[in-house]
Amino acid sequence: MIIEVIADSVSDARMAQVAGASRIELISGALEGGLTPSYGLIKAVCSLRIPVNVMIRPHSRSFCYTPEELEIMINDISICRELGATGVVFGVLTDQNEIDKAALDQLIEAAEGLDITFHRAFDEVTDQIKALRILQTYPEISRVLTSGGDEKAITATTRLQQLVKESEKSHLKIMAGSGLTADNTAQFLAKVRVKEIHIGSGARINASFSHSIDPEKIAAFIKIAGCLN
């Protein structure tokens, strides 16, 4: 199982790597849901051995972007490639909370050759099955990060398993995230057969982004995943 861990510093990323995490989602602004980190931070973290997917999100107001903001995102993607990132993480919606296919086309073109995650903008769409079917038409997108439309993944197990089933015959993977902890993940994975999970505060001391990553918590997630394989 892939265990992706959010990092917002070099020390976080290094601890996640040593603890055995599969991949880093590198962000800034954790309390705003994640924003694009600085180029210096991207360069430093990408010098580690662990794969790094970088958040591409210029603001936290919405997932709707102006042409100027899209140009910024495209430039950020280009710089991520130059700095050695494995992939990028983004999501774009229309004012009607549907997938913005025109904007998505531009970002995917810019991200050619990079691993792509469509992030939790997906949790704000009006129809997740419809949105998933749209995203399945893009072979460049590897996965969708989602909590099933709820604030926490653990309360949306029925919907998440429905999304997993809907994705089984496509290339697109469902990565579950939001609110997963070492205490609830075994229960969650018994109900939702995902192959990738996304860990944020659940990997940190006091379950808070105000504190650093706790390697023992990452080890606990790895043990749980290993027991279910």
PDB file of all heavy atoms in Angstrom, residues 12-39:
ATOM      1  N   ASP A  12      10.397  17.567   8.197  1.00  0.00           N
ATOM      2  CA  ASP A  12       9.235  16.684   8.068  1.00  0.00           C
ATOM      3  C   ASP A  12       9.482  15.620   6.999  1.00  0.00           C
ATOM      4  O   ASP A  12       9.249  14.432   7.215  1.00  0.00           O
ATOM      5  CB  ASP A  12       8.002  17.487   7.637  1.00  0.00           C
ATOM      6  CG  ASP A  12       7.253  18.107   8.792  1.00  0.00           C
ATOM      7  OD1 ASP A  12       7.576  17.803   9.951  1.00  0.00           O
ATOM      8  OD2 ASP A  12       6.334  18.903   8.519  1.00  0.00           O
ATOM      9  N   ALA A  13       9.913  16.075   5.841  1.00  0.00           N
ATOM     10  CA  ALA A  13      10.116  15.161   4.717  1.00  0.00           C
ATOM     11  C   ALA A  13      11.187  14.130   5.042  1.00  0.00           C
ATOM     12  O   ALA A  13      11.042  12.943   4.723  1.00  0.00           O
ATOM     13  CB  ALA A  13      10.489  15.955   3.472  1.00  0.00           C
ATOM     14  N   ARG A  14      12.252  14.564   5.685  1.00  0.00           N
ATOM     15  CA  ARG A  14      13.333  13.638   6.027  1.00  0.00           C
ATOM     16  C   ARG A  14      12.841  12.597   7.040  1.00  0.00           C
ATOM     17  O   ARG A  14      13.145  11.405   6.923  1.00  0.00           O
ATOM     18  CB  ARG A  14      14.522  14.415   6.581  1.00  0.00           C
ATOM     19  CG  ARG A  14      15.757  13.533   6.819  1.00  0.00           C
ATOM     20  CD  ARG A  14      16.946  14.352   7.279  1.00  0.00           C
ATOM     21  NE  ARG A  14      17.442  15.220   6.214  1.00  0.00           N
ATOM     22  CZ  ARG A  14      17.379  16.554   6.227  1.00  0.00           C
ATOM     23  NH1 ARG A  14      16.825  17.188   7.253  1.00  0.00           N
ATOM     24  NH2 ARG A  14      17.851  17.255   5.224  1.00  0.00           N
ATOM     25  N   MET A  15      12.076  13.024   8.024  1.00  0.00           N
ATOM     26  CA  MET A  15      11.547  12.073   9.005  1.00  0.00           C
ATOM     27  C   MET A  15      10.585  11.088   8.353  1.00  0.00           C
ATOM     28  O   MET A  15      10.590   9.893   8.679  1.00  0.00           O
ATOM     29  CB  MET A  15      10.867  12.824  10.150  1.00  0.00           C
ATOM     30  CG  MET A  15      11.825  13.381  11.171  1.00  0.00           C
ATOM     31  SD  MET A  15      11.008  14.016  12.657  1.00  0.00           S
ATOM     32  CE  MET A  15      10.360  15.565  12.035  1.00  0.00           C
ATOM     33  N   ALA A  16       9.756  11.569   7.439  1.00  0.00           N
ATOM     34  CA  ALA A  16       8.826  10.677   6.745  1.00  0.00           C
ATOM     35  C   ALA A  16       9.586   9.652   5.917  1.00  0.00           C
ATOM     36  O   ALA A  16       9.220   8.470   5.869  1.00  0.00           O
ATOM     37  CB  ALA A  16       7.890  11.495   5.866  1.00  0.00           C
ATOM     38  N   GLN A  17      10.653  10.103   5.270  1.00  0.00           N
ATOM     39  CA  GLN A  17      11.471   9.191   4.475  1.00  0.00           C
ATOM     40  C   GLN A  17      12.096   8.114   5.345  1.00  0.00           C
ATOM     41  O   GLN A  17      11.999   6.922   5.041  1.00  0.00           O
ATOM     42  CB  GLN A  17      12.570   9.981   3.769  1.00  0.00           C
ATOM     43  CG  GLN A  17      13.573   9.121   3.016  1.00  0.00           C
ATOM     44  CD  GLN A  17      14.642   9.959   2.354  1.00  0.00           C
ATOM     45  OE1 GLN A  17      14.442  10.501   1.281  1.00  0.00           O
ATOM     46  NE2 GLN A  17      15.798  10.072   2.992  1.00  0.00           N
ATOM     47  N   VAL A  18      12.706   8.520   6.445  1.00  0.00           N
ATOM     48  CA  VAL A  18      13.370   7.568   7.342  1.00  0.00           C
ATOM     49  C   VAL A  18      12.358   6.577   7.934  1.00  0.00           C
ATOM     50  O   VAL A  18      12.650   5.391   8.107  1.00  0.00           O
ATOM     51  CB  VAL A  18      14.121   8.316   8.458  1.00  0.00           C
ATOM     52  CG1 VAL A  18      14.625   7.348   9.521  1.00  0.00           C
ATOM     53  CG2 VAL A  18      15.288   9.107   7.866  1.00  0.00           C
ATOM     54  N   ALA A  19      11.155   7.078   8.208  1.00  0.00           N
ATOM     55  CA  ALA A  19      10.126   6.223   8.811  1.00  0.00           C
ATOM     56  C   ALA A  19       9.523   5.233   7.828  1.00  0.00           C
ATOM     57  O   ALA A  19       8.842   4.296   8.234  1.00  0.00           O
ATOM     58  CB  ALA A  19       9.021   7.089   9.411  1.00  0.00           C
ATOM     59  N   GLY A  20       9.754   5.442   6.528  1.00  0.00           N
ATOM     60  CA  GLY A  20       9.276   4.486   5.548  1.00  0.00           C
ATOM     61  C   GLY A  20       8.060   4.893   4.751  1.00  0.00           C
ATOM     62  O   GLY A  20       7.436   4.051   4.087  1.00  0.00           O
ATOM     63  N   ALA A  21       7.685   6.183   4.799  1.00  0.00           N
ATOM     64  CA  ALA A  21       6.573   6.656   3.974  1.00  0.00           C
ATOM     65  C   ALA A  21       6.880   6.409   2.495  1.00  0.00           C
ATOM     66  O   ALA A  21       8.042   6.395   2.077  1.00  0.00           O
ATOM     67  CB  ALA A  21       6.315   8.132   4.221  1.00  0.00           C
ATOM     68  N   SER A  22       5.826   6.230   1.705  1.00  0.00           N
ATOM     69  CA  SER A  22       6.006   5.945   0.286  1.00  0.00           C
ATOM     70  C   SER A  22       6.246   7.193  -0.545  1.00  0.00           C
ATOM     71  O   SER A  22       6.980   7.159  -1.538  1.00  0.00           O
ATOM     72  CB  SER A  22       4.760   5.240  -0.263  1.00  0.00           C
ATOM     73  OG  SER A  22       4.378   4.157   0.534  1.00  0.00           O
ATOM     74  N   ARG A  23       5.607   8.285  -0.133  1.00  0.00           N
ATOM     75  CA  ARG A  23       5.648   9.500  -0.953  1.00  0.00           C
ATOM     76  C   ARG A  23       5.316  10.692  -0.072  1.00  0.00           C
ATOM     77  O   ARG A  23       4.602  10.569   0.923  1.00  0.00           O
ATOM     78  CB  ARG A  23       4.619   9.372  -2.097  1.00  0.00           C
ATOM     79  CG  ARG A  23       4.598  10.513  -3.090  1.00  0.00           C
ATOM     80  CD  ARG A  23       3.654  10.215  -4.257  1.00  0.00           C
ATOM     81  NE  ARG A  23       2.273  10.030  -3.830  1.00  0.00           N
ATOM     82  CZ  ARG A  23       1.509   8.977  -4.158  1.00  0.00           C
ATOM     83  NH1 ARG A  23       1.974   8.021  -4.914  1.00  0.00           N
ATOM     84  NH2 ARG A  23       0.266   8.893  -3.713  1.00  0.00           N
ATOM     85  N   ILE A  24       5.824  11.852  -0.461  1.00  0.00           N
ATOM     86  CA  ILE A  24       5.522  13.111   0.210  1.00  0.00           C
ATOM     87  C   ILE A  24       4.570  13.933  -0.646  1.00  0.00           C
ATOM     88  O   ILE A  24       4.734  14.024  -1.870  1.00  0.00           O
ATOM     89  CB  ILE A  24       6.817  13.930   0.425  1.00  0.00           C
ATOM     90  CG1 ILE A  24       7.737  13.268   1.446  1.00  0.00           C
ATOM     91  CG2 ILE A  24       6.505  15.368   0.841  1.00  0.00           C
ATOM     92  CD1 ILE A  24       7.182  13.212   2.835  1.00  0.00           C
ATOM     93  N   GLU A  25       3.560  14.534  -0.004  1.00  0.00           N
ATOM     94  CA  GLU A  25       2.856  15.654  -0.622  1.00  0.00           C
ATOM     95  C   GLU A  25       3.418  16.906   0.039  1.00  0.00           C
ATOM     96  O   GLU A  25       3.211  17.136   1.232  1.00  0.00           O
ATOM     97  CB  GLU A  25       1.348  15.590  -0.411  1.00  0.00           C
ATOM     98  CG  GLU A  25       0.642  16.746  -1.143  1.00  0.00           C
ATOM     99  CD  GLU A  25      -0.815  16.917  -0.749  1.00  0.00           C
ATOM    100  OE1 GLU A  25      -1.085  17.242   0.423  1.00  0.00           O
ATOM    101  OE2 GLU A  25      -1.670  16.732  -1.626  1.00  0.00           O
ATOM    102  N   LEU A  26       4.128  17.701  -0.736  1.00  0.00           N
ATOM    103  CA  LEU A  26       4.802  18.886  -0.198  1.00  0.00           C
ATOM    104  C   LEU A  26       3.908  20.107  -0.360  1.00  0.00           C
ATOM    105  O   LEU A  26       3.461  20.412  -1.475  1.00  0.00           O
ATOM    106  CB  LEU A  26       6.128  19.108  -0.923  1.00  0.00           C
ATOM    107  CG  LEU A  26       6.999  20.240  -0.389  1.00  0.00           C
ATOM    108  CD1 LEU A  26       7.446  19.980   1.046  1.00  0.00           C
ATOM    109  CD2 LEU A  26       8.203  20.453  -1.297  1.00  0.00           C
ATOM    110  N   ILE A  27       3.681  20.795   0.757  1.00  0.00           N
ATOM    111  CA  ILE A  27       2.780  21.944   0.753  1.00  0.00           C
ATOM    112  C   ILE A  27       3.348  23.063   1.620  1.00  0.00           C
ATOM    113  O   ILE A  27       4.316  22.884   2.352  1.00  0.00           O
ATOM    114  CB  ILE A  27       1.388  21.568   1.311  1.00  0.00           C
ATOM    115  CG1 ILE A  27       1.494  21.273   2.830  1.00  0.00           C
ATOM    116  CG2 ILE A  27       0.775  20.408   0.560  1.00  0.00           C
ATOM    117  CD1 ILE A  27       0.150  21.197   3.542  1.00  0.00           C
ATOM    118  N   SER A  28       2.712  24.210   1.540  1.00  0.00           N
ATOM    119  CA  SER A  28       2.789  25.231   2.582  1.00  0.00           C
ATOM    120  C   SER A  28       1.347  25.492   3.015  1.00  0.00           C
ATOM    121  O   SER A  28       0.412  24.928   2.449  1.00  0.00           O
ATOM    122  CB  SER A  28       3.440  26.515   2.052  1.00  0.00           C
ATOM    123  OG  SER A  28       2.626  27.096   1.045  1.00  0.00           O
ATOM    124  N   GLY A  29       1.155  26.321   4.030  1.00  0.00           N
ATOM    125  CA  GLY A  29      -0.199  26.708   4.428  1.00  0.00           C
ATOM    126  C   GLY A  29      -1.094  25.557   4.793  1.00  0.00           C
ATOM    127  O   GLY A  29      -2.236  25.467   4.308  1.00  0.00           O
ATOM    128  N   ALA A  30      -0.631  24.677   5.661  1.00  0.00           N
ATOM    129  CA  ALA A  30      -1.422  23.502   6.028  1.00  0.00           C
ATOM    130  C   ALA A  30      -2.778  23.880   6.602  1.00  0.00           C
ATOM    131  O   ALA A  30      -3.787  23.207   6.343  1.00  0.00           O
ATOM    132  CB  ALA A  30      -0.653  22.647   7.031  1.00  0.00           C
ATOM    133  N   LEU A  31      -2.836  24.957   7.369  1.00  0.00           N
ATOM    134  CA  LEU A  31      -4.097  25.353   7.995  1.00  0.00           C
ATOM    135  C   LEU A  31      -5.085  25.942   6.991  1.00  0.00           C
ATOM    136  O   LEU A  31      -6.255  26.121   7.297  1.00  0.00           O
ATOM    137  CB  LEU A  31      -3.825  26.345   9.128  1.00  0.00           C
ATOM    138  CG  LEU A  31      -2.957  25.803  10.269  1.00  0.00           C
ATOM    139  CD1 LEU A  31      -2.793  26.857  11.365  1.00  0.00           C
ATOM    140  CD2 LEU A  31      -3.541  24.518  10.846  1.00  0.00           C
ATOM    141  N   GLU A  32      -4.609  26.220   5.777  1.00  0.00           N
ATOM    142  CA  GLU A  32      -5.487  26.684   4.693  1.00  0.00           C
ATOM    143  C   GLU A  32      -5.794  25.566   3.706  1.00  0.00           C
ATOM    144  O   GLU A  32      -6.329  25.816   2.629  1.00  0.00           O
ATOM    145  CB  GLU A  32      -4.830  27.852   3.960  1.00  0.00           C
ATOM    146  CG  GLU A  32      -4.629  29.092   4.808  1.00  0.00           C
ATOM    147  CD  GLU A  32      -3.967  30.211   4.034  1.00  0.00           C
ATOM    148  OE1 GLU A  32      -4.683  30.913   3.292  1.00  0.00           O
ATOM    149  OE2 GLU A  32      -2.739  30.376   4.157  1.00  0.00           O
ATOM    150  N   GLY A  33      -5.450  24.344   4.077  1.00  0.00           N
ATOM    151  CA  GLY A  33      -5.729  23.215   3.205  1.00  0.00           C
ATOM    152  C   GLY A  33      -4.616  22.898   2.233  1.00  0.00           C
ATOM    153  O   GLY A  33      -4.757  21.990   1.413  1.00  0.00           O
ATOM    154  N   GLY A  34      -3.508  23.644   2.315  1.00  0.00           N
ATOM    155  CA  GLY A  34      -2.360  23.367   1.451  1.00  0.00           C
ATOM    156  C   GLY A  34      -2.247  24.345   0.308  1.00  0.00           C
ATOM    157  O   GLY A  34      -3.196  24.530  -0.459  1.00  0.00           O
ATOM    158  N   LEU A  35      -1.079  24.984   0.211  1.00  0.00           N
ATOM    159  CA  LEU A  35      -0.777  25.926  -0.873  1.00  0.00           C
ATOM    160  C   LEU A  35       0.571  25.559  -1.480  1.00  0.00           C
ATOM    161  O   LEU A  35       1.317  24.742  -0.940  1.00  0.00           O
ATOM    162  CB  LEU A  35      -0.739  27.363  -0.335  1.00  0.00           C
ATOM    163  CG  LEU A  35      -2.032  27.884   0.303  1.00  0.00           C
ATOM    164  CD1 LEU A  35      -1.777  29.238   0.966  1.00  0.00           C
ATOM    165  CD2 LEU A  35      -3.145  28.001  -0.738  1.00  0.00           C
ATOM    166  N   THR A  36       0.899  26.169  -2.602  1.00  0.00           N
ATOM    167  CA  THR A  36       2.176  25.917  -3.258  1.00  0.00           C
ATOM    168  C   THR A  36       3.332  26.356  -2.361  1.00  0.00           C
ATOM    169  O   THR A  36       3.362  27.507  -1.909  1.00  0.00           O
ATOM    170  CB  THR A  36       2.252  26.664  -4.602  1.00  0.00           C
ATOM    171  OG1 THR A  36       1.120  26.320  -5.397  1.00  0.00           O
ATOM    172  CG2 THR A  36       3.534  26.296  -5.353  1.00  0.00           C
ATOM    173  N   PRO A  37       4.292  25.477  -2.091  1.00  0.00           N
ATOM    174  CA  PRO A  37       5.435  25.849  -1.262  1.00  0.00           C
ATOM    175  C   PRO A  37       6.444  26.690  -2.043  1.00  0.00           C
ATOM    176  O   PRO A  37       6.354  26.818  -3.269  1.00  0.00           O
ATOM    177  CB  PRO A  37       6.035  24.501  -0.869  1.00  0.00           C
ATOM    178  CG  PRO A  37       5.633  23.579  -1.972  1.00  0.00           C
ATOM    179  CD  PRO A  37       4.294  24.057  -2.463  1.00  0.00           C
ATOM    180  N   SER A  38       7.419  27.230  -1.332  1.00  0.00           N
ATOM    181  CA  SER A  38       8.449  28.042  -1.970  1.00  0.00           C
ATOM    182  C   SER A  38       9.353  27.174  -2.831  1.00  0.00           C
ATOM    183  O   SER A  38       9.512  25.972  -2.599  1.00  0.00           O
ATOM    184  CB  SER A  38       9.288  28.770  -0.918  1.00  0.00           C
ATOM    185  OG  SER A  38      10.159  27.852  -0.260  1.00  0.00           O
ATOM    186  N   TYR A  39       9.984  27.816  -3.806  1.00  0.00           N
ATOM    187  CA  TYR A  39      10.876  27.070  -4.685  1.00  0.00           C
ATOM    188  C   TYR A  39      12.072  26.523  -3.914  1.00  0.00           C
ATOM    189  O   TYR A  39      12.555  25.426  -4.200  1.00  0.00           O
ATOM    190  CB  TYR A  39      11.352  27.958  -5.837  1.00  0.00           C
ATOM    191  CG  TYR A  39      10.235  28.517  -6.683  1.00  0.00           C
ATOM    192  CD1 TYR A  39      10.395  29.695  -7.399  1.00  0.00           C
ATOM    193  CD2 TYR A  39       9.005  27.863  -6.769  1.00  0.00           C
ATOM    194  CE1 TYR A  39       9.364  30.217  -8.175  1.00  0.00           C
ATOM    195  CE2 TYR A  39       7.966  28.375  -7.535  1.00  0.00           C
ATOM    196  CZ  TYR A  39       8.159  29.552  -8.240  1.00  0.00           C
ATOM    197  OH  TYR A  39       7.147  30.069  -9.006  1.00  0.00           O
TER     198      TYR A  39
END
